[in-house]
Amino acid sequence: MDYVIEMRNIRKEFPGIVANDNITLQVKKGEIHALLGENGAGKSTLMNVLFGLYQPEEGEIFVKGKKVTANDPNVANDLGIGMVHQHFMLVEKFTVTENIILGKEPTRGGRVDIKSAANEIKKLSDQYGLSVDPHAKIEDISVGMQQRVEILKTLYRGADILIFDEPTAVLTPQEISELMQIMKKLVREGKSIILITHKLKEIMQVCDRCTVIRRGKGIGTVNVADTDPDKLAAMMVGREVNFKVAKTDSVPKETVLEIKDLVVEDARKVNVVNGLNLEVRAGEIVGIAGVDGNGQTELLEAITGLAKVSSGKIMLNGRDITKLSPRKVTESGLGHIPQDRHKHGLVLNFTIGENMALQTYYQSPYSKAGILNYKTIYEKAKSLIQEFDVRTPSEFTPARALSGGNQQKAIIAREVDRSPDFLIAAQPTRGLDVGAIEFIHSKLIQERDKGKAVLLVSFELDEIMNVSDRIAVIYEGKIVAIVNPKETNEQELGLLMAGGKKEKVGGFQ
Amino acid sequence: MNLLKGRLFSILIPVISVVLALIIGGIVMLASGYQPILAYTSLFEGIFGNSYNIGETVRQMTPLILAGLAVAFAFRAGLFNIGVEGQVLVGWLASVYVGVSFDLPKIIHLPFAIVTAAVAGALWGVIPGFLKARFKVHEVITTIMMNYIALYMTNAIIRAYMLAPGERTKDVKPTASLASDFLQTITDGSRLHYGIIVALICSVIMWFILWKTTMGYELRAVGFNQHASRYAGMNVSKNIILSMAISGAFAGIAGAMEGLGTYGYMMINAAFTGVGFDGIAVSLIGANNAIGIIIGAALFGGLKIGASNMSSVAFVPIELVDIIIALIIFFIASSYIIHWLSNRVNKGGKL
């Protein structure tokens, strides 16, 4: 059998851990091959080995039948391997063409020959159905388009093996299905693709075969046609996983959060939240669905007291919190799992114990008259660590040393433990693996069942549909529709998120 | 690899740096035709050789400890206070002013003079702190400028209002003096004064504030991650200003050590004293913690005092001693870079 890429029995060690342990990856020409594994399973390490960034301790690599030994990243380029990164590497102020030729500029008579480059890019774009305008500026095009520029970049450099690293994390549902089409087209034209992901649905949709890694070990390779999401998930985590979140119907009671005609400006003086109305009642989870950048961040900052409100009103438990400071809002009964856990959720250099006291350190019994009571702080942390199953060597470990999932559990423990009436969960499962996602969803539902109001903001439609009791679609700073998750589907939501109108009247605000 | 991690590593860095600096210093001396062994023995004797030298070393340590505390305290809150030098100068002048102008019993006069110095230093630190918190003006720029303002302002005030013969102020009254006959006698007539006690108390205060109080918890949180601190409801601006105030207060007390202890007056300074800048190095050697700073100050103070012996016995020029001190800092700074790099590689490895 001919493989375009064959990595045999790769072993890569780092001090204290074996990141790759006897992993074999064989990619056939013209297939889409999924590389599936939880976060930290060793997918990125394996790809870095392939790219020559790391030298493996054991194992062999063959590209197109030829043994590769050099440890120079340029070799990968020369062999026709290209990577479409999760975080785009583009210069915002440059045009598409300028970005693509960057570092490999064609010259004529000492000057950069933009014109012929643009023509070539146009040709490539047409060939693969990417419909990218070579003269558009990066800052003016959508995220989905930017990703296509990244794809073009690898094609322009002559890649015939493309690696996609979690490509759908930043896309809308429509953009995702378009990307799937593009990937299929690429393999029809003779390219081979490795798709790094932990989303099972995508694998089922486009991939031919799938290699699973768990905790650094190669678990095996399966034909996608012969398997199903349940089996794949079990291979990935090593046990049965519940996808459908088990929950009863909600029993909403009184209104806890009420937002009226809210307007928030961003730094450029643009009204990013523009007349937004929303209600969250006790005992329900309201999910906010929307494409990134439609005012979600600013809405949350306004509620939590971090951003100034231009006009409108925010009521929590019947109390006006529009102008209160973050601490006063928190004390009025808000719990907040922030979007970016490293930037906003944790002080990474603090210990887990110190982090768990971040909202309560100034209160009794954690401190008295300005003197901290570390004994109580760490005792509390210890019990929270047990209750929320935070995997950490001890409560004295710096937060930095924990995995993403356990950091998130620590934040949730801190916020939920104060038993706030209103809980904001912003992207609570971003970048987490199936096991941690399951845990976090069940915690959110547990809070709901205790009669708390929960506001869930997420870019993952699956999460919104599974966890929410009501879905509020946000578009250009307004809630444009409220839908019942049982009566909607991804297509309808995707359309609403892109500013389309709902066909049935009703549910509008 | 694992050996170079954690606590052990942070202790090893300064030790290895000092050894490397001494070796390279020795090579430089050999190359320039001096005898390194003789030079280092005379350096050592110059520091510990007799009670006078020990007394002078401890005296030299005193303001360095306080300056180091000042730099470290601001650093813990994420600020780089280069203005310790200027805060030392205004503290010095304030202490001398109180020492010269008031007639009070010692039990009030001395603490009053020290507290005034602390307040003066604090005010000098608050200005850049406020500019940073309110207008996001970078503290490095403002504190450097505040140093020059302090230098020329103190000189002008002495010249205009407090001038005594000898281009300096009058001596502070005995009731405001830190000088101690007892300490001078047991150290064979050195200028050792009670200031070392003040410096050690301040070290304990710094440790206590940072690690035992909610204020220190907030300051450290702000220093590590302003965003998360703001999320947690802390007032970041208040904390920035507060940390600069406390930092400035330590620096002001360092000035009082000179004004009420070593000299007993303030002279018109042609240039910066260097205490504040040495404080940056001391806090770097001491890894921003109280005990480390005391050790760093001892090293610095010792080298400064021992240097004169090194030049008089082994005829090594004083400049060479300064080069060795600079080498020590250089090696510490570059080993932090190594530490940082190895951290990055480790992190990259985990993925």
Side-chain angles (χ1 to χ4, degrees):
Chain A
M1 181 44 111
D2 277 351
Y3 295 112
V4 281
I5 287 182
E6 189 172 14
M7 301 178 79
R8 272 192 218 148
N9 310 322
I10 300 293
R11 181 182 176 85
K12 175 69 201 163
E13 287 174 37
F14 292 108
I17 46 164
V18 183
N20 283 172
D21 182 8
N22 195 17
I23 297 181
T24 296
L25 173 72
Q26 293 164 317
V27 183
K28 292 182 197 164
K29 187 171 162 50
E31 74 167 346
I32 304 180
H33 193 108
L35 184 58
L36 174 68
E38 296 185 285
N39 290 289
K43 293 171 293 189
S44 305
T45 305
L46 189 67
M47 288 301 110
N48 283 332
V49 169
L50 177 59
F51 266 75
L53 292 168
Y54 297 149
Q55 277 298 96
E57 269 81 38
E58 281 168 37
E60 295 172 311
I61 304 171
F62 297 88
V63 176
K64 295 165 197 163
K66 242 175 54 195
K67 190 167 173 180
V68 185
T69 43
N71 59 340
D72 174 2
N74 286 325
V75 172
N77 275 331
D78 298 343
L79 291 170
I81 305 174
M83 180 99 159
V84 177
H85 292 274
Q86 187 178 5
H87 302 286
F88 306 149
M89 318 236 168
L90 298 169
V91 184
E92 293 256 302
K93 300 270 172 201
F94 275 17
T95 66
V96 169
T97 305
E98 285 167 335
N99 266 289
I100 290 173
I101 62 175
L102 202 61
K104 211 186 171 187
E105 302 87 352
T107 52
R108 182 192 285 171
R111 289 175 53 212
V112 178
D113 188 2
I114 292 272
K115 213 171 178 185
S116 70
N119 283 335
E120 194 181 336
I121 288 162
K122 183 90 184 78
K123 229 171 70 196
L124 275 174
S125 164
D126 290 345
Q127 185 187 348
Y128 296 101
L130 299 174
S131 49
V132 169
D133 172 8
H135 300 291
K137 266 197 186 164
I138 296 299
E139 58 188 1
D140 298 333
I141 62 180
S142 70
V143 174
M145 256 324 159
Q146 290 179 12
Q147 189 174 54
R148 293 182 192 186
V149 176
E150 285 283 359
I151 298 172
L152 270 176
K153 216 154 94 180
T154 62
L155 296 173
Y156 182 80
R157 282 162 167 69
D160 46 21
I161 302 162
L162 280 76
I163 302 170
F164 285 81
D165 186 7
E166 307 264 350
T168 57
V170 288
L171 303 181
T172 64
Q174 272 76 14
E175 284 174 328
I176 291 175
S177 69
E178 281 166 22
L179 176 67
M180 297 292 152
Q181 295 309 314
I182 291 170
M183 288 171 69
K184 282 181 183 158
K185 180 121 185 178
L186 282 167
V187 289
R188 269 205 303 277
E189 299 273 337
K191 309 284 182 191
S192 312
I193 291 176
I194 299 177
L195 173 64
I196 304 174
T197 186
H198 55 234
K199 291 186 189 166
L200 303 169
K201 211 166 71 184
E202 288 161 13
I203 295 177
M204 298 310 295
Q205 269 173 19
V206 288
C207 294
D208 302 301
R209 297 193 309 145
C210 174
T211 296
V212 185
I213 315 183
R214 188 201 314 152
R215 285 188 203 125
K217 287 198 174 62
I219 300 299
T221 302
V222 290
N223 282 322
V224 172
D226 305 336
T227 189
D228 59 55
D230 289 333
K231 282 187 198 142
L232 282 178
M235 280 176 84
M236 173 163 69
V237 267
R239 61 177 171 84
E240 298 291 320
V241 178
N242 250 330
F243 283 108
K244 207 67 193 166
V245 187
K247 62 167 188 176
T248 52
D249 284 342
S250 69
V251 196
K253 298 189 195 75
E254 74 283 359
T255 303
V256 173
L257 179 89
E258 191 178 5
I259 299 176
K260 272 189 198 149
D261 304 318
L262 186 72
V263 178
V264 185
E265 273 181 5
D266 68 358
R268 298 165 299 158
K269 303 276 169 208
V270 178
N271 288 342
V272 267
V273 175
N274 198 1
L276 183 140
N277 289 290
L278 184 67
E279 259 185 32
V280 186
R281 289 166 295 179
E284 71 167 353
I285 300 177
V286 173
I288 297 216
V291 181
D292 193 6
N294 274 285
Q296 294 97 324
T297 310
E298 291 78 7
L299 168 65
L300 296 186
E301 286 186 348
I303 299 174
T304 49
L306 289 156
K308 235 184 83 192
V309 171
S310 305
S311 68
K313 220 177 191 183
I314 306 169
M315 310 280 285
L316 182 59
N317 278 332
R319 189 174 164 211
D320 189 349
I321 60 160
T322 318
K323 290 200 168 68
L324 295 187
S325 70
R327 174 150 299 165
K328 287 273 181 301
V329 175
T330 304
E331 287 171 350
S332 313
L334 170 89
H336 185 188
I337 301 159
Q339 206 172 121
D340 186 335
R341 57 180 162 268
H342 287 171
K343 191 172 171 192
H344 296 124
L346 294 166
V347 178
L348 288 175
N349 291 331
F350 269 16
T351 63
I352 281 297
E354 285 177 305
N355 268 297
M356 283 177 163
L358 213 52
Q359 302 278 15
T360 47
Y361 67 93
Y362 60 96
Q363 293 165 342
S364 175
Y366 306 107
S367 67
K368 270 183 196 128
I371 308 292
L372 289 170
N373 187 346
Y374 271 108
K375 203 167 155 253
T376 324
I377 288 175
Y378 281 117
E379 270 167 11
K380 180 75 196 177
K382 204 169 176 181
S383 76
L384 285 178
I385 285 168
Q386 272 187 353
E387 189 186 338
F388 287 82
D389 188 31
V390 182
R391 309 262 168 87
T392 169
S394 82
E395 60 272 29
F396 307 108
T397 309
R400 183 180 295 288
L402 268 59
S403 74
N406 286 304
Q407 290 174 341
Q408 192 73 325
K409 282 185 195 170
I411 295 173
I412 291 175
R414 175 181 81 208
E415 298 301 324
V416 168
D417 182 61
R418 288 183 293 117
S419 191
D421 295 331
F422 176 54
L423 182 66
I424 295 177
Q427 303 254 63
T429 60
R430 174 150 76 176
L432 301 188
D433 50 57
V434 186
I437 291 175
E438 207 181 358
F439 177 89
I440 286 164
H441 285 170
S442 73
K443 276 288 165 195
L444 291 181
I445 290 164
Q446 222 175 61
E447 283 306 294
R448 180 201 76 168
D449 292 342
K450 277 194 236 159
K452 312 292 184 188
V454 180
L455 182 66
L456 170 71
V457 178
S458 174
F459 302 136
E460 303 278 353
L461 273 190
D462 284 344
E463 175 163 58
I464 292 276
M465 306 244 298
N466 273 332
V467 180
S468 313
D469 300 311
R470 286 195 299 148
I471 300 175
V473 182
I474 190 168
Y475 177 69
E476 293 189 341
K478 281 193 189 74
I479 300 297
V480 289
I482 301 257
V483 292
N484 183 335
K486 286 183 188 148
E487 294 161 9
T488 187
N489 53 44
E490 291 203 1
Q491 279 64 39
E492 188 192 34
L493 278 179
L495 200 64
L496 289 166
M497 283 159 61
K501 289 275 176 258
K502 199 173 178 231
E503 278 166 25
K504 284 179 288 182
V505 189
F508 270 100
Q509 283 229 337
Chain B
M1 201 69 173
N2 282 327
L3 246 182
L4 295 177
K5 269 176 152 175
R7 258 218 148 87
L8 190 61
F9 187 64
S10 64
I11 297 167
L12 269 178
I13 293 174
V15 174
I16 294 171
S17 310
V18 170
V19 172
L20 276 175
L22 291 179
I23 290 171
I24 292 185
I27 294 170
V28 173
M29 278 191 268
L30 267 181
S32 338
Y34 303 104
Q35 295 162 277
I37 309 274
L38 177 66
Y40 284 138
T41 15
S42 62
L43 175 71
F44 189 78
E45 272 174 14
I47 303 170
F48 301 107
N50 53 45
S51 57
Y52 173 84
N53 288 344
I54 293 175
E56 278 294 301
T57 299
V58 174
R59 177 197 61 76
Q60 186 79 31
M61 271 173 72
T62 305
L64 289 177
I65 291 175
L66 286 156
L69 293 177
V71 175
F73 197 89
F75 202 79
R76 287 280 184 190
L79 299 165
F80 200 12
N81 182 6
I82 313 224
V84 172
E85 181 70 34
Q87 293 144 17
V88 166
L89 288 170
V90 295
W92 187 343
L93 183 68
S95 70
V96 169
Y97 172 76
V98 171
V100 170
S101 321
F102 291 84
D103 273 311
L104 294 162
K106 184 151 195 162
I107 193 141
I108 299 170
H109 200 179
L110 180 57
F112 179 39
I114 294 175
V115 169
T116 311
V119 170
L123 288 174
W124 215 250
V126 159
I127 297 169
F130 173 79
L131 291 172
K132 166 95 177 188
R134 184 78 182 77
F135 302 109
K136 302 213 184 322
V137 186
H138 204 285
E139 76 277 7
V140 167
I141 311 239
T142 45
T143 51
I144 290 175
M145 293 306 138
M146 293 292 285
N147 283 343
Y148 286 99
I149 300 174
L151 175 64
Y152 296 115
M153 190 190 73
T154 49
N155 282 350
I157 290 175
I158 295 171
R159 210 183 291 284
Y161 305 107
M162 298 171 72
L163 199 63
E167 297 285 286
R168 65 179 183 90
T169 68
K170 278 188 264 184
D171 286 328
V172 297
K173 305 243 164 74
T175 48
S177 175
L178 282 165
S180 151
D181 287 338
F182 167 68
L183 288 177
Q184 287 178 10
T185 321
I186 61 162
T187 58
D188 217 2
S190 79
R191 289 176 288 170
L192 183 61
H193 53 81
Y194 285 127
I196 186 67
I197 297 166
V198 177
L200 294 177
I201 292 172
C202 284
S203 308
V204 175
I205 292 175
M206 139 125 172
W207 168 83
F208 186 82
I209 292 179
L210 275 180
W211 300 103
K212 295 288 154 191
T213 65
T214 53
M215 186 207 281
Y217 178 91
E218 283 194 20
L219 287 171
R220 286 184 296 123
V222 169
F224 283 133
N225 186 344
Q226 289 198 6
H227 302 282
S229 308
R230 196 171 287 128
Y231 256 65
M234 299 173 193
N235 185 336
V236 171
S237 297
K238 185 193 96 185
N239 277 293
I240 286 175
I241 296 172
L242 189 65
S243 69
M244 280 303 285
I246 295 173
S247 169
F250 283 134
I253 297 173
M257 297 303 103
E258 305 289 66
L260 307 174
T262 305
Y263 298 97
Y265 57 83
M266 185 169 184
M267 57 288 208
I268 289 175
N269 283 299
F272 289 124
T273 63
V275 170
F277 301 124
D278 289 345
I280 296 172
V282 167
S283 101
L284 179 64
I285 295 175
N288 296 316
N289 81 58
I291 292 173
I293 285 166
I294 295 172
I295 295 168
L299 179 73
F300 245 71
L303 286 173
K304 288 225 151 157
I305 297 302
S308 51
N309 206 43
M310 201 164 154
S311 60
S312 59
V313 176
F315 306 109
V316 178
I318 203 99
E319 286 83 358
L320 198 51
V321 181
D322 286 337
I323 290 176
I324 293 169
I325 295 180
L327 282 171
I328 292 173
I329 302 166
F330 177 83
F331 278 112
I332 292 175
S334 42
S335 49
Y336 276 119
I337 294 170
I338 294 164
H339 191 39
W340 176 75
L341 274 177
S342 83
N343 261 348
R344 295 253 321 199
V345 171
N346 283 341
K347 223 192 281 170
K350 271 179 202 160
L351 286 169

